[in-house]
Amino acid sequence: QKEVEQDPGPLSVPEGAIVSLNCTYSNSAFQYFMWYRQYSRKGPELLMYTYSSGNKEDGRFTAQVDKSSKYISLFIRDSQPSDSATYLCAPSLTSYGKLTFGQGTILTVHP
Amino acid sequence: EAGVTQFPSHSVIEKGQTVTLRCDPISGHDNLYWYRRVMGKEIKFLLHFVKESKQDESGMPNNRFLAERTGGTYSTLKVQPAELEDSGVYFCASSPGVYTEAFFGQGTRLTVV
């Protein structure tokens, strides 16, 4: 069983839609939860960072962590074509020190 | 300020040959990480340097892989001899500390034929 499960998609939505991206994980010791965005032929870049359970909002992006069900979510409101990328969840035991990535979900937002 | 830089961006080698990948971290970043993504799989951690010391090399797949970090600056990852299953994208990331954001390079795409 993989430590982090993420539906690879692909996911295609119209501009302005609300996007929901999700991961589940098996290691209950994970304390830090990151979401990365990766554009084609680029490296991952940090999008959201959450410690322990709860919600965190940053502009159009909201990250949710439910440690009781080992479930991580990223919501994108008013999605834009520029949001088209691969989104990777990455929980960690030691913050940024050693990330365990999900497979990534390919998102396309079409005008 | 320059970001994390990786060389080469793409390398095609034959099975059995040796390849060396290089990573130049952001200046002043003591922590350097190597990750790789093989086709159809998730990005996986390989190892972590703190300055010139290997802090965690639990993700290194086998002894064909050798990572070094000279003087705590740039790092190299050598694969010798390369096998077909080594094909993938190798990422390097650096951060000032383990509790600060790690910045990724653009990756080196390695193809072993």
Side-chain angles (χ1 to χ4, degrees):
Chain A
Q1 183 189 8
K2 291 182 182 178
E3 277 195 283
V4 181
E5 296 277 359
Q6 184 176 5
D7 186 344
L11 185 61
S12 181
V13 301
E15 183 175 355
I18 296 174
V19 177
S20 173
L21 304 168
N22 308 292
C23 291
T24 57
Y25 62 93
S26 58
N27 190 344
S28 58
F30 286 140
Q31 293 285 347
Y32 304 87
F33 303 90
M34 272 69 81
W35 282 95
Y36 282 81
R37 178 174 60 194
Q38 185 179 14
Y39 292 112
S40 181
R41 304 288 178 174
K42 300 287 187 182
E45 57 177 347
L46 182 67
L47 189 60
M48 297 285 286
Y49 169 94
T50 309
Y51 173 71
S52 195
S53 282
N55 293 1
K56 185 172 184 178
E57 188 174 321
D58 184 0
R60 298 183 294 109
F61 299 89
T62 300
Q64 284 186 352
V65 177
D66 182 347
K67 291 190 71 179
S68 62
S69 58
K70 299 189 184 71
Y71 198 79
I72 314 166
S73 299
L74 178 70
F75 298 95
I76 307 174
R77 292 183 299 280
D78 187 25
S79 56
Q80 302 295 309
S82 58
D83 295 329
S84 298
T86 298
Y87 290 80
L88 304 136
C89 62
S92 173
L93 297 172
T94 58
S95 190
Y96 299 99
K98 181 178 178 180
L99 301 169
T100 305
F101 283 94
Q103 195 170 351
T105 300
I106 300 170
L107 172 67
T108 301
V109 181
H110 51 87
Chain B
E1 181 181 354
V4 177
T5 310
Q6 293 186 245
F7 306 96
S9 57
H10 192 187
S11 179
V12 180
I13 62 170
E14 292 185 352
K15 176 182 172 180
Q17 289 186 324
T18 297
V19 63
T20 301
L21 313 181
R22 173 169 168 147
C23 170
D24 284 39
I26 294 172
S27 177
H29 283 194
D30 287 342
N31 292 268
L32 188 148
Y33 311 90
W34 283 98
Y35 290 84
R36 77 170 178 177
R37 182 171 193 156
V38 297
M39 185 69 72
K41 302 282 189 180
E42 61 276 12
I43 298 173
K44 284 203 167 180
F45 168 85
L46 294 179
L47 86 159
H48 170 205
F49 282 101
V50 177
K51 297 185 179 179
E52 67 275 10
S53 300
K54 292 175 185 175
Q55 183 78 8
D56 181 350
E57 51 185 330
S58 60
M60 295 289 266
N62 52 61
N63 58 11
R64 295 186 294 104
F65 288 75
L66 176 64
E68 294 180 324
R69 189 176 183 193
T70 306
T73 56
Y74 71 91
S75 176
T76 57
L77 181 64
K78 181 190 288 188
V79 185
Q80 179 182 27
E83 299 289 345
L84 298 178
E85 64 263 26
D86 300 332
S87 296
V89 182
Y90 290 74
F91 292 103
C92 173
S94 73
S95 69
V98 294
Y99 293 100
T100 50
E101 180 181 351
F103 296 87
F104 281 79
Q106 82 282 8
T108 292
R109 185 173 297 273
L110 175 65
T111 304
V112 184
V113 297

